Amino acid sequence: MPDNKHYEKAKTYWNNLLRDYTSMARFPNDYFKDDTGKFSMIQKEIKKATYSSLLSFCDSNKLSLDSVLDTVFAIVLQRFSCEDDIVFAKNKIHLPIRVNPSSRDMRFTDLARDIMRQTSDSMEYYYYMISSEGHLNSLNDKLINTAFYFDVFADRCSSTIKEKDLDLYMKVSLTKGMSIKLMYKPSYYDKVTARSIIYLFKHIINQIIAKPKIRLRDIKNIKDVHKDIYIGSQRDNKFSFDRNLSYIDLFRDQVRRTPDKIAVSDEFSSMTYKEVDELTDKVAGYFNHIGIGVGSTVAVLQVRTKNVVLAAISILKSGAIFFPIDRTNPDERVGYLLEDGEVDLVLTCRELGPRVKEKHSKYKYLNLDHWDRIEKQYEISQKSGPKDIAYRISTSGTTGRPKCISIRQESLMNMCHFAIDYIGANENDVCGIYLSFSFDAIVKQIFPYLLIGASVDVLPEESRKNEYTVEDYCKKKGVTILALPAILRKLFVNNCPCDGLKVLQVGGDKFKGYTNRNYKIYNEYGPAEFTVLCSQFYVDKYYELVPVGRPIYNTEAYILDKNSNLCAVGMPGELCLSGIQISEGYSNRPELNEGSFVCNPFAHDDDTRLMYRTGDLAKIIDESGNIAVLGRMDSQIKINGIRIELFEIENMINMLAEVKNAVVVAKEDQNGDKYLDAYIVAYDKSFDGSRVLDFLKQNLPPHMIPRHILSLESMPVTPIGKVDKKALPPIY
């Protein structure tokens, strides 16, 4: 045992090395199943020529082979964890190695030298780490769950970490050439992810051999040939349509085909295609007459009736921009939206007209209930082109100011064509409009189906109370297509067989689970900035995390790392979108546009000139290119220096059969210390929240356990159906 002086020196060394590192670098889970303790294995060989070249690389750069391999593994872990600052265990002695490059301009060889020096220094003081104090401070807190083995040190020391405590580890041996074994727990990781880890490890070795002075930022995640294949596959979804034909052109064609079929309805009445066409012609002509046309923005502030659909058609016919605003928004927010959206006219109703007149008097307004007072048939004198704006929508959110987004005619048309085709919609379908009229997805419910002779039906407010009232209305009106927000979809799928329903569309948040129904379930993804719908996935079985599918017609999706390099299959990165459906950007927000709408490094035509950075963390999950959205790039929070993913806690709570829904929020006490609170909605009101707490303590580390758990009868929601975290009650 070293003397006290040397022991204190060792303690200081490790405290300095691991200072402020209170998290855990890990390969992100594919699954959240119970840990069985069992490992699966994938083994790959390194070619003799590659091994020989690697030895030459080490010799010429005066680097040890183990330090080079440590560095390769560290970069793999950095790329998969989306973190620069990582710690992993080295060899069977489980020596902690911390890697945090000073910059992405750093050369691979410089990082390898840093790791080589750190290893040498750490070995001198390793005895402290296996002492009770060192182990308690650094290892029991689960700072390490990943290891890399290259047995240079041949078990000279023992370790207090056992392999069973790890989630994943890699072994490189030189027994017969160079062999790589990856051991991973199948309860946490998919085989596709495991293969991708080994793929990247081998690919980095090949890159440093080919370019010994390569910088970290220039290390690619996939081979050029695979990059070309992937980029090429993005262009396989081309769909040709006449961009000079506007939405209204195709709508008029449909009117001629099915004039007497029901086009629009609500709880009170319905209108045929011919009736809708005649009325909206009259209104559109009046708009042009009073100076509303191409470039004008018309806001629609209405109660839930078919008049909203009629307003949308009228506005597009006049060449103007359709801008729906939900009536449940407070006046201050409505005022901001009217200003930011550069509104020229507000279409309202008898119920809301006085509110507009009193609170927003500087704007011209027209009562939709008085359309019959337009006596003269004015000529429609304006028409929008493919590059003109069709609609404007505001981003959702409960805090801060919303952002207005403008979508072109050609983008809307592309979305409509795909929305019809992928579910096989036809003239016998009825689309039930449940969603809020301020929710961007509403345009996917209003517009596509009126181009094929189907009808759209607006659900009244009283039928939106819960899953059972929704089901009752759908049965009554013969609804065959329905879209629901995240807050309601789980309850509806679990509890409502809904005879007659053909398609249920879900999305907006991560969707987990599956219940077999007669209707088809499609998980959809698409930000408002990209015309609502950019991918869809047919859910035909249980998934731990349901994919969002592949890009739709004339659009492309890329998963990029921090250096804007394409990610390999199974590797998380930022989801970026390009193609015909990209928006015009945020109105009056040039500083936001600069960071979100950027030049596309994979551009090949005018449609793909720009790329939208979604801020969503995603990965490709299979060779078919299906994508799974994992969360937001900024969804991690820090509490006492520890990185925490809120979704991971929510996911764990939702595993309890008694829980309908759960949300976890970060809060701050009077001392400025952050902590977690959880809110749950249970099927049984008598369900005890302490059961949740006990379950979490069994499955999560202490820093991920909420301070309080409160049971609610229902979650407060925003107008678009997302959980309104701002409205959650305080917990004392």
Side-chain angles (χ1 to χ4, degrees):
M1 180 72 181
D3 58 41
N4 289 336
K5 186 177 180 180
H6 199 273
Y7 186 86
E8 288 299 317
K9 189 176 180 180
K11 180 179 179 180
T12 300
Y13 171 82
W14 286 109
N15 285 340
N16 288 337
L17 181 65
L18 300 174
R19 180 184 294 140
D20 300 327
Y21 191 86
T22 51
S23 187
M24 179 172 62
R26 61 186 302 177
F27 291 90
N29 289 44
D30 296 311
Y31 312 117
F32 294 89
K33 302 175 182 177
D34 292 337
D35 182 11
T36 63
K38 295 181 179 179
F39 284 87
S40 294
M41 183 188 75
I42 292 179
Q43 182 171 345
K44 296 291 182 180
E45 305 298 323
I46 298 291
K47 295 178 180 178
K48 289 182 179 181
T50 303
Y51 177 48
S52 179
S53 297
L54 183 60
L55 292 177
S56 298
F57 169 86
C58 294
D59 184 61
S60 60
N61 289 282
K62 297 180 172 56
L63 291 167
S64 64
L65 179 58
D66 72 303
S67 63
V68 169
L69 295 176
D70 288 342
T71 308
V72 173
F73 182 80
I75 295 172
V76 173
L77 181 54
Q78 286 175 327
R79 297 285 172 95
F80 272 83
S81 66
C82 300
E83 297 287 345
D84 289 328
D85 191 10
I86 62 166
V87 173
F88 65 93
K90 173 183 171 76
N91 292 329
K92 290 187 177 180
I93 63 174
H94 287 144
L95 185 75
I97 299 293
R98 186 173 187 178
V99 182
N100 188 10
S102 57
S103 80
R104 295 188 183 98
D105 287 331
M106 191 176 192
R107 297 189 189 277
F108 175 92
T109 49
D110 293 332
L111 183 60
R113 287 190 184 93
D114 286 349
I115 292 176
M116 188 165 63
R117 284 191 293 266
Q118 182 187 146
T119 301
S120 178
D121 294 341
S122 296
M123 284 301 299
E124 182 179 354
Y125 303 113
Y126 184 71
Y127 61 84
Y128 174 78
M129 296 305 291
I130 61 175
S131 69
S132 59
E133 184 179 357
H135 178 65
L136 179 64
N137 290 344
S138 299
L139 304 180
N140 275 356
D141 287 336
K142 286 192 170 183
L143 297 187
I144 297 173
N145 83 333
T146 303
F148 179 72
Y149 298 159
F150 184 67
D151 295 326
V152 172
F153 297 106
D155 296 326
R156 283 192 295 179
C157 305
S158 62
S159 172
T160 53
I161 305 180
K162 305 300 181 184
E163 291 178 354
K164 66 178 179 63
D165 297 322
L166 304 172
D167 292 345
L168 179 150
Y169 58 94
M170 183 182 287
K171 291 183 177 182
V172 174
S173 67
L174 306 178
T175 307
K176 296 180 180 179
M178 190 171 175
S179 176
I180 306 170
K181 291 181 181 178
L182 186 71
M183 310 297 294
Y184 65 97
K185 290 181 177 177
S187 52
Y188 296 155
Y189 301 109
D190 189 87
K191 193 173 184 178
V192 171
T193 299
R195 286 174 174 168
S196 185
I197 292 170
I198 287 188
Y199 171 95
L200 181 57
F201 188 88
K202 293 175 63 179
H203 186 43
I204 294 175
I205 289 175
N206 288 323
Q207 290 179 83
I208 64 173
I209 291 171
K211 298 179 180 179
K213 295 183 179 181
I214 194 169
R215 300 183 186 277
L216 299 180
R217 69 164 184 248
D218 297 324
I219 293 175
K220 309 300 183 185
N221 303 311
I222 59 176
K223 298 176 182 178
D224 287 342
V225 62
H226 294 155
K227 172 185 172 182
D228 294 340
I229 291 172
Y230 177 76
I231 295 298
S233 70
Q234 295 285 292
R235 302 168 191 175
D236 293 340
N237 61 351
K238 287 293 184 182
F239 177 80
S240 297
F241 65 95
D242 189 343
R243 298 193 186 189
N244 292 316
L245 293 177
S246 70
Y247 179 87
I248 296 303
D249 291 330
L250 297 189
F251 174 75
R252 293 190 188 281
D253 287 343
Q254 188 58 49
V255 172
R256 286 190 284 271
R257 289 192 293 269
T258 55
D260 300 321
K261 229 179 151 293
I262 298 297
V264 184
S265 58
D266 56 25
E267 63 176 325
F268 302 112
S269 61
S270 61
M271 295 179 68
T272 66
Y273 273 84
K274 183 180 179 181
E275 291 169 336
V276 170
D277 190 47
E278 291 174 348
L279 175 60
T280 54
D281 269 358
K282 192 174 185 180
V283 177
Y286 178 74
F287 285 167
N288 287 163
H289 171 68
I290 63 174
I292 300 297
V294 176
S296 304
T297 300
V298 182
V300 179
L301 187 66
Q302 247 284 349
V303 295
R304 293 189 61 83
T305 71
K306 65 180 185 300
N307 280 350
V308 178
V309 181
L310 298 173
I313 301 297
S314 301
I315 294 166
L316 291 192
K317 278 187 174 183
S318 73
I321 302 166
F322 170 57
F323 184 21
I325 298 176
D326 195 280
R327 68 186 182 94
T328 60
N329 282 313
D331 288 321
E332 182 180 358
R333 186 179 177 94
V334 171
Y336 174 77
L337 290 172
L338 294 174
E339 179 181 356
D340 198 50
E342 301 175 343
V343 169
D344 300 284
L345 177 69
V346 180
L347 297 185
T348 185
C349 58
R350 187 180 298 106
E351 180 181 329
L352 300 176
R355 176 185 174 187
V356 176
K357 184 178 180 180
E358 179 182 349
K359 301 292 185 180
H360 313 289
S361 57
K362 72 176 183 178
Y363 295 96
K364 297 179 181 178
Y365 71 95
L366 180 67
N367 191 331
L368 297 184
D369 297 326
H370 296 160
W371 282 357
D372 56 340
R373 297 181 183 181
I374 303 175
E375 297 179 354
K376 190 174 179 180
Q377 185 74 52
Y378 296 97
E379 181 185 357
I380 298 176
S381 57
Q382 298 192 45
K383 179 182 178 181
S384 58
K387 300 294 184 182
D388 290 322
I389 304 302
Y391 73 87
R392 186 163 286 148
I393 204 78
S394 64
T395 58
S396 61
T398 59
T399 61
R401 287 191 162 188
K403 302 181 290 289
C404 286
I405 298 157
S406 301
I407 302 296
R408 301 182 306 276
Q409 277 276 348
E410 61 183 4
S411 302
L412 171 64
M413 292 306 301
N414 189 79
M415 183 274 294
C416 285
H417 285 300
F418 183 83
I420 293 166
D421 291 350
Y422 90 90
I423 63 170
N426 59 59
E427 66 177 20
N428 297 316
D429 283 314
V430 178
C431 176
I433 300 180
Y434 171 95
L435 302 174
S436 160
F437 287 110
S438 65
F439 191 15
D440 60 317
I442 194 66
V443 300
K444 184 172 63 64
Q445 308 306 116
I446 291 178
F447 292 114
Y449 309 113
L450 295 178
L451 300 182
I452 56 169
S455 61
V456 295
D457 189 292
V458 181
L459 274 72
E461 201 63 56
E462 57 267 25
S463 295
R464 301 171 74 240
K465 290 180 180 178
N466 55 56
E467 68 270 32
Y468 301 110
T469 58
V470 172
E471 182 183 34
D472 288 343
Y473 188 87
C474 289
K475 287 181 176 179
K476 176 182 175 182
K477 301 300 292 285
V479 170
T480 59
I481 302 169
L482 180 68
L484 293 177
I487 195 69
L488 191 60
R489 80 170 165 233
K490 180 179 178 181
L491 298 175
F492 188 90
V493 172
N494 286 348
N495 301 325
C496 301
C498 199
D499 298 336
L501 188 65
K502 184 172 79 174
V503 171
L504 177 67
Q505 299 161 327
V506 298
D509 280 320
K510 294 184 287 292
F511 174 44
K512 183 179 183 297
Y514 174 73
T515 300
N516 188 23
R517 294 296 186 193
N518 291 325
Y519 48 83
K520 293 182 177 180
I521 302 173
Y522 289 93
N523 192 36
E524 300 179 342
Y525 171 84
E529 292 87 345
F530 207 74
T531 319
V532 181
L533 179 65
C534 65
S535 69
Q536 59 78 29
F537 186 81
Y538 172 45
V539 186
D540 59 346
K541 63 180 182 180
Y542 175 84
Y543 291 85
E544 191 76 16
L545 180 63
V546 180
V548 297
R550 289 172 48 85
I552 72 168
Y553 295 158
N554 302 315
T555 66
E556 300 178 9
Y558 322 103
I559 312 295
L560 303 182
D561 67 11
K562 294 179 180 180
N563 302 311
S564 295
N565 295 316
L566 282 170
C567 292
V569 175
M571 179 187 300
E574 184 177 12
L575 176 55
C576 300
L577 305 171
S578 187
I580 190 174
Q581 292 190 182
I582 196 167
S583 77
E584 295 288 289
Y586 305 117
S587 301
N588 308 311
R589 300 286 188 90
E591 72 287 353
L592 292 179
N593 290 333
E594 187 175 338
S596 299
F597 297 87
V598 300
C599 291
N600 182 8
F602 314 108
H604 54 90
D605 57 22
D606 189 60
D607 287 340
T608 56
R609 178 177 54 86
L610 289 179
M611 178 176 74
Y612 172 60
R613 305 188 73 102
T614 68
D616 287 329
L617 187 68
K619 66 178 181 180
I620 298 171
I621 60 170
D622 56 34
E623 299 299 331
S624 298
N626 285 305
I627 296 167
V629 176
L630 308 175
R632 293 289 298 171
M633 298 288 289
D634 56 0
S635 64
Q636 286 188 338
I637 62 165
K638 276 195 175 184
I639 295 182
N640 298 325
I642 302 175
R643 292 190 298 271
I644 295 173
E645 173 62 69
L646 296 180
F647 169 69
E648 189 170 349
I649 308 172
E650 293 170 352
N651 184 83
M652 188 63 66
I653 297 174
N654 281 318
M655 290 178 69
L656 288 166
E658 299 90 341
V659 175
K660 285 184 182 180
N661 195 21
V663 62
V664 178
V665 296
K667 296 183 177 181
E668 192 172 289
D669 61 24
Q670 57 186 6
N671 299 319
D673 296 327
K674 290 183 177 179
Y675 64 94
L676 301 173
D677 274 348
Y679 297 83
I680 66 168
V681 177
Y683 288 101
D684 187 348
K685 293 181 180 179
S686 63
F687 179 71
D688 187 359
S690 63
R691 167 87 168 86
V692 177
L693 191 61
D694 292 340
F695 179 72
L696 293 180
K697 287 180 178 179
Q698 295 172 16
N699 292 277
L700 295 175
H703 61 263
M704 298 180 72
I705 306 300
R707 183 180 295 183
H708 309 106
I709 297 177
L710 181 65
S711 292
L712 304 175
E713 289 189 5
S714 62
M715 288 288 181
V717 296
T718 66
I720 67 171
K722 292 186 176 182
V723 175
D724 188 352
K725 294 186 177 181
K726 191 177 179 181
L728 290 167
I731 306 177
Y732 302 102

